[in-house]
Amino acid sequence: LAALPKGPANYHPRRRKEQAIVRRNWIISEMAQMGWVTRAEAQAAMAEDLVVQEAPRRSHYRDADFFVEEVRRRALGLLGEQVNAGGYYLRTTLNPRMQTAARVALMRGLEAYDRRHGWRGAWGNVPVDSDWERAAQRRRPPSERRDWKAAIVESTEGGVAVRIAGGGRGRLDSEDVSWARAGRGLNVGDLIFVERTDNRLRLRQVPIVNGALVAIEPHSGRVLAMVGGYSYSLSNFNRATQAMRQPGSAIKPFVYAAALEGDMTPATIINDAPIEFRNPDGTVWRPENYTREYYGAQTLRRGLEMSRNVMTVRLAQQVGMRRIADSIERYGVTDDMMPVLSMALGAGSRPR
């Protein structure tokens, strides 16, 4: 480093390595002459090669498309359109290992859930003797599923034979054939996705259901991983930050907190029994527990522990929804909560 200021181009450690070493060794000998290092230390240092560390490179955001796009959106809100011009360095809380694990877990979970709900059928059907590969190009598998290939069903006799885009043929795994026939079945000319794994040709289906996953460090609030949907290549809508959805039972602890801020305690008794309310239009609302059963007099603590719907509604009726709504807004859960009893069960869908 001390050799560079005199002539950065003349002593460039890569392009003019020999000159850089000569200059470096002269500096080390001067250091020894001035007594800053011993002669033995100087000789050892001059005998070493000149090793240059690579310049820092921009992080490779593997599996973090949703995370990075959310950072960009927030940066736009803070800094304006000049963010898109580049030149900014944004430091995030992303944990690459956890991000990959989150993406894999969400995709597998959604695919497993979707499979349990049956085969929905092929995404197209064309004559086998046509230019079917051109037709298959209109629908691409998720970019995250690099091993999925488009295929066409050639025969359904004695199993299901398929021709794979790009070359190759095979027979679908018998387990998948049974799964497909239990659903909408497979017909000659059907366009499908397949994946070859463990010497088996498996039938694949893009899930119709979607989801999101966020991993947060509880002590600091740092977002370590975030996946906003099944596949960024199919939809870049971030369901973790942009979707409107009901909080459901996640709102109940705030309802109970509002009660505890008053004159109630964890030992306060709430009756877990059927209850109904008549709406202005004449319809009747009868909240029910998840189990469709009722358990009588229970402590407030037990109601929260078991997430009892009817107990929560009775509690909200006693505390008052206006008071609960004010408390929830004060916690920052939402900016505007309607003070109606159904909101105590998380029926609202306004995003924060």
Side-chain angles (χ1 to χ4, degrees):
L1 291 176
L4 288 175
K6 182 179 180 180
N10 295 335
Y11 304 112
H12 192 282
R14 284 193 178 277
R15 293 194 294 268
R16 302 178 68 89
K17 183 175 180 179
E18 292 184 7
Q19 290 86 342
I21 290 177
V22 170
R23 177 71 177 172
R24 179 201 69 177
N25 291 349
W26 178 82
I27 292 172
I28 293 174
S29 66
E30 290 295 300
M31 292 172 64
Q33 186 172 343
M34 298 181 69
W36 291 356
V37 295
T38 66
R39 184 59 60 181
E41 289 173 334
Q43 291 296 331
M46 287 189 285
E48 291 183 6
D49 189 18
L50 180 58
V51 180
V52 180
Q53 182 176 335
E54 294 283 350
R57 292 187 299 174
R58 180 185 175 127
S59 298
H60 295 284
Y61 299 112
R62 179 179 173 83
D63 297 322
D65 296 308
F66 284 107
F67 192 108
V68 173
E69 176 59 19
E70 181 64 20
V71 170
R72 189 191 70 83
R73 288 178 59 247
R74 298 201 176 200
L76 280 172
L78 290 172
L79 304 172
E81 288 294 333
Q82 65 264 29
V83 170
N84 290 328
Y88 287 90
Y89 176 78
L90 303 176
R91 185 174 182 179
T92 75
T93 57
L94 175 70
N95 182 312
R97 181 180 61 82
M98 291 185 65
Q99 179 66 37
T100 295
R103 195 270 301 168
V104 171
L106 182 64
M107 293 194 77
R108 286 179 177 173
L110 291 174
E111 289 168 357
Y113 176 88
D114 187 75
R115 185 179 176 89
R116 290 197 298 271
H117 287 73
W119 170 248
R120 295 190 305 278
W123 46 266
N125 186 282
V126 296
V128 176
D129 57 358
S130 66
D131 187 6
W132 69 270
E133 289 199 35
R134 182 183 295 275
Q137 290 175 355
R138 299 172 189 165
R139 179 80 64 88
R140 295 188 179 277
S143 64
E144 297 86 353
R145 291 294 185 238
R146 299 178 180 86
D147 295 330
W148 287 20
K149 304 294 183 183
I152 188 170
V153 176
E154 287 188 303
S155 170
T156 59
E157 297 180 4
V160 175
V162 301
R163 190 188 309 170
I164 303 172
R169 283 180 165 86
R171 287 186 173 273
L172 288 182
D173 187 80
S174 59
E175 178 185 336
D176 291 341
V177 173
S178 298
W179 172 62
R181 286 175 175 167
R184 294 195 175 181
L186 290 168
N187 302 300
V188 173
D190 278 352
L191 297 175
I192 57 176
F193 289 127
V194 297
E195 180 184 19
R196 194 175 295 279
T197 174
D198 297 329
N199 294 321
R200 302 164 69 190
L201 194 61
R202 305 304 304 266
L203 178 62
R204 297 306 187 207
Q205 174 174 263
V206 176
I208 194 172
V209 69
N210 222 308
L213 189 156
V214 180
I216 300 175
E217 189 176 74
H219 300 295
S220 66
R222 295 169 65 229
V223 178
L224 304 178
M226 177 173 63
V227 189
Y230 171 72
S231 167
Y232 189 85
S233 66
L234 298 182
S235 170
N236 57 24
F237 179 73
N238 193 327
R239 292 152 188 83
T241 60
Q242 296 175 291
M244 295 181 66
R245 58 198 181 278
Q246 296 180 343
S249 292
I251 204 72
K252 290 178 183 175
F254 297 97
V255 176
Y256 283 80
L260 293 173
E261 289 173 350
D263 56 0
M264 294 188 178
T265 72
T268 297
I269 299 298
I270 304 294
N271 190 21
D272 185 16
I275 189 172
E276 66 178 38
F277 302 90
R278 188 166 296 278
N279 298 315
D281 61 359
T283 59
V284 176
W285 178 49
R286 298 184 181 89
E288 298 178 330
N289 291 327
Y290 177 77
T291 60
R292 304 291 178 87
E293 297 181 4
Y294 304 93
Y295 303 90
Q298 302 276 304
T299 63
L300 188 147
R301 177 191 288 109
R302 186 64 173 170
L304 176 59
E305 177 187 350
M306 302 305 296
S307 189
R308 298 272 168 73
N309 289 338
V310 177
M311 288 184 67
T312 303
V313 170
R314 285 185 182 276
L315 179 66
Q317 187 181 38
Q318 293 182 33
V319 174
M321 278 305 301
R322 180 70 269 170
R323 178 177 168 185
I324 290 173
D326 291 342
S327 175
I328 288 176
E329 290 171 16
R330 189 171 67 252
Y331 280 118
V333 177
T334 183
D335 297 325
D336 183 19
M337 180 176 180
M338 295 176 62
V340 295
L341 285 172
S342 61
M343 298 292 280
L345 300 181
S349 59
R350 294 181 181 178
R352 175 72 175 104

